[in-house]
Each structure stands twice: as structure tokens, then as C-alpha cells.
Amino acid sequence: MNKDTSPSAGGSRAGRPVLSYLKWAIIVTGLGLALGAVLGWQTTGTLSGMLSILFICAVLAVLEISLSFDNAIVNANKLKEMRPEWQRRFLTWGILIAVFGMRIVFPLLIVVIAAGIGPWQALLLAASQPEEYAHIMHEAHLPIAAFGGTFLMMVGLSFFFDHEKDVHWVHWVERHMAKYASIRGIEVAVVLLFVLGFSHLLQGTEREVFFGAAIWGLMTFLLVEVLGGLLDSTQETLHGAARGGLGAFLYLEVLDASFSFDGVIGAFALSQNLFVIAIGLGIGAMYVRSMTIMLVENSTLSEYRYLEHGAFYAIIALSVVMFAQALVHIPEVITGLGGAGLIGISLWSSIRWNRRNTVPAE
């Protein structure tokens, strides 16, 4: 829900310096680049090879940040409603799951399932035959794109199809979406129309794979919503007025996973080495975590009223891009710049609104 809030007169937040939020991200960057240098030297044995690996790690980190900045905003939107202990758990356990689970375990599981081999064999394949490993990952891109695109589109549309939402950025669109939000299941119908449209453009087994994975993405979103509501209502019963606990935690983890799909698959275009990819994306994930903390502690989303809107538009755009990648290859840099552009425009619109509506200090 996005309630109308405006900044207080002459209001300025007393927050920590920006660098203090980035402390752990900078530490992880140093450790990650050191590991990348060691890995580059061991695999190539040359200074130029080592520098090349370091450059790829840095590019992957920037790619992850550009693709996941909207993820940080959505995380902050959810975290501000969670109890303090669950905020801490997400920012500690959650980042471990994000870095090690999605950037290392997830690509291994894809190969385990697709190639029908054991986890240890998949790890050996990644280390000894990176070309074959990357080939299997790319072959699995179609169902991943359908699953992740469907889940993210549900996330984005659920923000706008909210009858209690009274802050509108693109007013003529969002006002109508809020108006029709009372129609039960309207966002599900919109997503299914997209799924049917894109699946119609595919042929044979590809159509079946795309449609099946998309339905699983839709089911996952609905199950997480139901499970989250049940878990949080149980916690409410046990802890009085408590809200935003385990259910919200699970929702954020699945959301982070959906954001990670595109980055993990796209990373193989830059490197076929699983460990280089894990280092680069892990560094980027730490910066996303730091940005999330900064957004929550500084109440940035309250001060910049359209920032959330930009993030959710970026999510919907990313979901459409993931669907489109079932048909054509779209470079990740376009995806990242597109999302960053939408967020930048929403920030600029928020600043303009604040300037027009701030009461001058007497």
C-alpha cells in the first residue's frame, strides 16, 4: 500500500554517512577481488589473465547492482513493515542465501537437474569443463525466463492493483488500475494473457516448456502469498499485534531469487567460470544489501514518493524482457540501464514534487 505522505517543512534526515553503509560491501569487494586475482593467476598463470579475471569480476558486480537496484527498493518497501528481529534476520541470513544460494547453489542445481548428474559431478563439471557447464545453463534459460518473468510480473502488478493505493505517478494509468483492483484475480488474468501471448509465439516443445514454467511461477507467487499470510497470522496470534515475520521473509527470498535468474544466466555471456561469476555477483549483492539498509534507515521511500513506483515499473519491464528473451537475446546491459532509467526518472519526479509542495520555513 502506498499512502500519501509528504516531507516535513525543511525536513532533513539525520542519517549515517553513506560510506558507513557501504563498509561491509567494500570489505567484501576487497576479499572478492583478492580471490579473483588468485583464481586468475591459477587458471591463466599470466598477469594479463589475472587482470582480465579481475575486470570480469568488476563488470559482473556492476551488472548485478544495475539489475538489482529496483530489488533493493522493493526489499526496503517490505522491510519497513517487518518486525526489527526479522529485518535483522533477512539482512544476515537472507544475504547468505542470496550470495551462496542463488549465485553458487542455484546454477549447480540447474545443471544437476538438466544433465541428470549429482551435485559433486556438477561442481567438477563447472571446474573442469566450463564450456559444457555454460552450454547446459544456456539451454535451461527458457523455463527460467518463463518462471522468473511470471513471478516478477505478479509482484509488479500487485503493487498497482491496490484499491488502497492513493499516490499515483503515471496518474491516468495507475488511477484506473487502483479503480479495478477490487475485481478479484485481475492481476492473475493480466499475467495469464501475457503468458498465453508469448507462448503462442513459440513452437512445439518450447511452447509447452514455457507455458509449464510460467504456470509454476504463478503458482509459486500465490503459494508464497498464502503461506506468508498463514505464517504471519499464526505469529500474530502468538505475539499479539506482530506482523511481517517469517511469511514476509520467505516472500523476499523468493523475490530475490527471481531477480537473480536473469543476472546469473546473463553472467555466462561474460565468463564461463562458475567461481568468477559467484565472486562478481556476490560483490554486487553486498552493495544491494547496503542500499537496502540505507533506504530503510533513512526512510528514503517516504521522502521520495514516486521512487517505489519507478522500481515496480522496472520490475514489470524486467518481466516483459524475460518473456521476450524466450524469443530473442536481449543484452543484460539494456535491461540494467532500462531499470535504472525508470528509477532515475521517478526520483527526479519525486524531487520536483517535493520542491513544489514543501512549505517554506518561516
Side-chain angles (χ1 to χ4, degrees):
M1 175 168 42
N2 191 301
K3 287 295 182 181
D4 191 0
T5 57
S6 57
S8 57
S12 63
R13 302 184 312 275
R16 292 192 282 148
V18 173
L19 283 177
S20 69
Y21 291 103
L22 299 176
K23 178 181 71 174
W24 283 107
I26 293 171
I27 291 173
V28 170
T29 300
L31 293 174
L33 292 179
L35 284 173
V38 172
L39 183 62
W41 183 261
Q42 286 183 342
T43 54
T44 66
T46 64
L47 179 61
S48 61
M50 182 183 73
L51 293 176
S52 176
I53 295 294
L54 284 176
F55 177 73
I56 291 173
C57 288
V59 171
L60 286 172
V62 173
L63 174 68
E64 176 70 10
I65 293 169
S66 66
L67 287 173
S68 299
F69 186 72
D70 44 359
N71 189 12
I73 295 175
V74 177
N75 285 347
N77 177 53
K78 194 73 173 179
L79 279 168
K80 68 186 181 183
E81 300 175 355
M82 294 172 69
R83 301 197 304 277
E85 66 269 24
W86 279 103
Q87 288 183 357
R88 291 191 297 270
R89 288 166 184 166
F90 175 75
L91 293 171
T92 51
W93 302 348
I95 196 62
L96 290 175
I97 295 171
V99 173
F100 295 104
M102 285 308 303
R103 276 74 182 180
I104 299 176
V105 178
F106 168 68
L108 285 173
L109 286 177
I110 290 178
V111 175
V112 167
I113 296 170
I117 59 179
W120 180 248
Q121 286 77 15
L123 187 61
L124 291 177
L125 186 67
S128 60
Q129 301 179 51
E131 296 85 1
E132 179 63 21
Y133 186 91
H135 175 72
I136 295 173
M137 286 292 296
H138 282 294
E139 287 294 312
H141 183 264
L142 178 63
I144 291 172
F147 181 96
T150 303
F151 187 91
L152 289 178
M153 187 172 288
M154 282 297 300
V155 170
L157 291 179
S158 296
F159 175 79
F160 294 107
F161 282 112
D162 180 356
H163 68 278
E164 294 184 348
K165 178 178 174 292
D166 53 14
V167 176
H168 306 310
W169 180 29
V170 184
H171 195 272
W172 61 277
V173 173
E174 297 175 30
R175 181 170 56 84
H176 284 90
M177 294 179 78
K179 176 182 177 181
Y180 295 114
S182 57
I183 301 175
R184 183 175 298 178
I186 186 170
E187 60 269 42
V188 175
V190 172
V191 169
L192 286 175
L193 285 175
F194 269 93
V195 170
L196 289 171
F198 276 96
S199 63
H200 184 70
L201 300 174
L202 298 169
Q203 301 294 327
T205 57
E206 286 190 344
R207 176 184 296 182
E208 295 177 9
V209 170
F210 180 91
F211 188 78
I215 293 301
W216 275 110
L218 178 61
M219 286 295 297
T220 300
F221 178 87
L222 296 175
L223 288 173
V224 168
E225 287 280 291
V226 171
L227 182 60
L230 289 174
L231 290 172
D232 287 347
S233 64
T234 302
Q235 290 176 337
E236 254 184 63
T237 303
L238 295 175
H239 303 291
R243 57 184 299 220
L246 181 59
F249 180 90
L250 292 175
Y251 174 84
L252 287 175
E253 286 303 318
V254 177
L255 179 64
D256 180 75
S258 297
F259 273 103
S260 302
F261 290 157
D262 202 44
V264 170
I265 298 295
F268 280 91
L270 294 173
S271 173
Q272 296 178 337
N273 190 309
L274 173 67
F275 309 104
V276 171
I277 291 171
I279 290 171
L281 297 185
I283 291 172
M286 286 301 298
Y287 282 94
V288 173
R289 173 186 181 273
S290 298
M291 288 188 288
T292 300
I293 296 172
M294 185 167 62
L295 289 170
V296 173
E297 291 191 358
N298 290 341
S299 301
T300 306
L301 299 183
S302 298
E303 180 170 348
Y304 300 106
R305 61 192 268 126
Y306 301 132
L307 195 58
E308 286 177 274
H309 298 67
F312 282 100
Y313 276 121
I315 289 172
I316 294 174
L318 175 59
S319 69
V320 175
V321 167
M322 293 182 77
F323 282 163
Q325 284 180 335
L327 305 170
V328 295
H329 174 68
I330 300 175
E332 281 67 31
V333 65
I334 294 178
T335 307
L337 289 176
L342 286 168
I343 293 171
I345 295 171
S346 68
L347 177 62
W348 175 69
S349 297
S350 302
I351 293 172
R352 287 187 61 197
W353 189 92
N354 289 345
R355 287 173 178 171
R356 289 197 304 264
N357 293 275
T358 298
V359 180
E362 296 181 358

